[in-house]
């Protein structure tokens, strides 16, 4: 009889045992959430294009501070940087008819283009490229700091300036 | 019953984890968003002004003499000086700072010369080997930004002067 009671008690205690202790369950839960969060973060970060910063500001905002003037006469393109934001490179858009061609000034004239610091100037004979263009516009490209180092950032079309004299 | 009463983490540890998590996430969001906050741009004060009182250009010996007057409310520490090399050119790109002989010190693409308000100073440039038609001057200043002196170009105070050929 006594043996039978002990057996029932042991059986009850055995039934009360859980698979894992609550401490381990909590630790597992937290670590799974952290791991899942990291996976989602890294996945999304890969999809989002990093814009970078310049002077501690998002480079997109710095594009508003760019101030330059450009003119075209006798086949020569002349640019002066009037602001205090260094211009790393520029895209020249040559509009003809309904479309346009884009010319990367740094790529096209690597020996003459040295970037435009404050007060810096650039002039280049480009009549061979321009042809019978209806309009020329210049889009500034800035150098921004990012987690991958220094990256070029092309300012939006709203920051394009028309070249005078065409 | 004793086994069922066990908690994963104590209430105190739970709170600490929650607060630390909230602080870390807040810090991450702050770092990401602070770059989007527009900050004051480095710019010259509006009262910066300079004008060319006299100019004398001799294309035969390539000499240029100009008298500059600071008619603004602030000190000017120097200027960028560029010239046009054709009559049609609207943006001057030829750097004249390398030809300075008197009235300033040659800097990296600019002339260093202190002009206090109402100061009038002549500057001589010699050996200009290309015929020039007009000059454009952009004043520059050294301004204190975040307790350090920074060089600032005053593009909005740019002046132009057509040169008379002898």
């Amino acid at each position: 009889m006594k043996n039978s009671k002990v057996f029932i008690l042991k059986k009850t205690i055995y039934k009360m045992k859980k698979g894992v202790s609550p401490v381990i369950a909590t630790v597992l839960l937290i670590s799974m959430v952290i791991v899942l969060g990291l996976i989602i973060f890294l996945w999304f970060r890969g999809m989002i294009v990093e814009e970078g910063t310049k002077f501690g500001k998002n480079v997109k905002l710095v594009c508003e501070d760019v101030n330059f003037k450009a003119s075209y006469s006798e086949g020569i393109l002349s640019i002066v940087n009037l602001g205090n934001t260094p211009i790393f490179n520029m895209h020249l858009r040559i509009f003809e008819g309904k479309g346009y061609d884009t010319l990367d000034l740094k790529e096209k004239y690597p020996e003459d283009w040295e970037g435009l610091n404050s007060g810096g100037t650039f002039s280049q004979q480009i009549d061979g490229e321009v042809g019978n263009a209806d309009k020329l516009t210049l889009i500034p490209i800035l150098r921004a700091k990012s987690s991958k180092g220094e990256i070029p950032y092309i300012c939006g079309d709203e920051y394009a300036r028309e070249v005078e004299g065409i | 019953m004793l086994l069922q009463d066990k908690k994963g983490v104590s209430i105190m540890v739970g709170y600490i984890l929650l607060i630390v998590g909230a602080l870390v996430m807040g810090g991450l969001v702050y770092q990401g968003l602070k770059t989007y906050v527009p900050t004051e741009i480095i710019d010259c004060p509006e009262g910066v002004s300079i004008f060319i009182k006299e100019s004398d250009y001799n294309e035969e010996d390539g000499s240029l003499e100009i008298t500059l007057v600071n008619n603004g409310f602030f000190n000017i520490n120097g200027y960028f000086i560029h010239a046009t090399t054709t009559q049609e050119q609207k943006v001057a790109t030829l750097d004249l700072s390398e030809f300075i002989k008197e009235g300033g010190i040659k800097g990296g693409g600019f002339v260093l010369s202190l002009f206090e308000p109402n100061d009038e100073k002549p500057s001589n440039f010699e050996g200009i080997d290309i015929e020039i038609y007009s000059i454009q001057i952009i004043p520059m200043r050294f301004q204190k930004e975040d307790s350090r002196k920074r060089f600032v170009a005053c593009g909005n105070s740019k002046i132009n002067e057509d040169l008379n050929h002898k």
Side-chain angles (χ1 to χ4, degrees):
Chain A
M1 190 69 182
K2 200 178 176 185
N3 280 346
S4 165
K5 272 186 181 174
V6 170
F7 177 74
I8 291 165
L9 191 69
K10 273 185 178 175
K11 207 176 171 183
T12 315
I13 291 168
Y14 182 75
K15 271 188 181 173
M16 281 165 71
K17 269 195 179 173
K18 302 285 183 296
V20 283
S21 79
V23 176
I24 294 170
T26 312
V27 170
L28 276 175
L29 201 71
I30 291 172
S31 37
M32 276 166 67
V33 167
I34 291 171
V35 168
L36 273 173
L38 272 174
I39 291 169
I40 292 169
F41 172 74
L42 292 172
W43 183 36
F44 271 92
R45 205 174 68 160
M47 288 202 293
I48 297 164
V49 179
E50 197 184 356
E51 286 164 345
T53 58
K54 191 164 186 75
F55 306 136
K57 271 202 289 187
N58 187 290
V59 69
K60 217 173 186 175
L61 298 177
V62 181
C63 286
E64 285 178 25
D65 306 336
V66 176
N67 182 11
F68 68 92
K69 196 178 174 190
S71 79
Y72 178 79
S73 63
E74 295 175 330
I76 298 169
L77 172 72
S78 309
I79 313 167
V80 60
N81 184 357
L82 299 171
N84 290 296
T85 307
I87 300 169
F88 172 64
N89 189 7
M90 277 188 157
H91 275 174
L92 175 70
R93 277 193 183 161
I94 304 159
F95 290 83
E96 202 172 339
K98 286 177 184 174
Y100 64 82
D101 285 326
T102 303
L103 194 75
D104 187 303
L105 294 183
K106 187 177 163 64
E107 205 178 282
K108 184 75 185 172
Y109 310 105
E111 285 172 10
D112 300 303
W113 179 271
E114 294 171 340
L116 294 176
N117 287 326
S118 294
T121 57
F122 171 79
S123 69
Q124 183 69 40
Q125 191 87 31
I126 58 159
D127 49 351
E129 310 294 333
V130 170
N132 298 317
D134 306 317
K135 191 172 88 169
L136 297 176
T137 61
L138 280 164
I139 298 169
I141 301 173
L142 308 178
R143 204 145 73 162
K145 273 185 191 169
S146 79
S147 57
K148 292 168 195 162
E150 299 238 309
I151 51 162
Y153 176 80
I154 304 169
C155 292
D157 286 359
E158 63 269 36
Y159 304 110
R161 294 241 175 122
E162 201 167 323
V163 177
E164 290 175 22
I166 199 150
Chain B
M1 284 303 283
L2 280 171
L3 280 172
Q4 273 185 344
D5 281 348
K6 269 196 177 175
K7 301 282 185 301
V9 283
S10 76
I11 293 172
M12 189 56 75
V13 175
Y15 275 126
I16 290 169
L17 278 174
L18 200 72
I19 292 166
V20 168
L23 284 175
V24 168
M25 280 197 285
L28 287 173
V29 172
Y30 171 76
Q31 285 297 327
L33 289 185
K34 85 169 179 185
T35 61
Y36 283 93
V37 178
T39 50
E40 212 171 287
I41 58 164
I42 315 156
D43 208 359
C44 273
E46 272 186 29
V48 171
S49 180
I50 198 168
F51 84 95
I52 302 166
K53 193 179 178 187
E54 282 169 0
S55 66
D56 185 15
Y57 173 60
N58 189 332
E59 71 262 37
E60 281 174 13
D61 61 1
S63 67
L64 171 72
E65 192 180 330
I66 53 168
T67 305
L68 292 170
V69 180
N70 180 358
N71 60 337
F73 302 120
F74 299 94
N75 281 8
I76 290 167
N77 297 92
Y79 54 89
F80 295 96
I81 180 163
H82 296 107
T84 55
T85 51
T86 64
Q87 272 182 324
E88 285 73 27
Q89 199 179 351
K90 284 177 185 163
V91 172
T93 52
L94 178 71
D95 180 20
L96 295 184
S97 68
E98 57 188 279
F99 302 107
I100 184 92
K101 279 281 175 255
E102 276 174 46
I105 302 160
K106 186 179 136 185
F110 52 84
V111 175
L112 277 171
S113 179
L114 177 67
F115 288 83
E116 287 176 354
N118 301 317
D119 266 4
E120 184 178 321
K121 276 187 191 173
S123 298
N124 286 311
F125 298 83
E126 282 176 19
I128 304 165
D129 45 5
I130 305 170
E131 194 170 357
I132 57 174
Y133 294 87
S134 70
I135 51 169
Q136 289 176 359
I137 291 175
I138 303 170
M140 52 159 275
R141 282 168 45 79
F142 288 110
Q143 285 185 191
K144 263 198 171 179
E145 300 275 343
D146 301 329
S147 72
R148 59 182 182 151
K149 279 194 170 181
R150 290 191 68 167
F151 151 83
V152 179
C154 309
N156 294 330
S157 309
K158 179 172 73 83
I159 48 167
N160 296 328
E161 173 92 349
D162 289 327
L163 299 172
N164 293 318
H165 287 227
K166 281 187 177 172

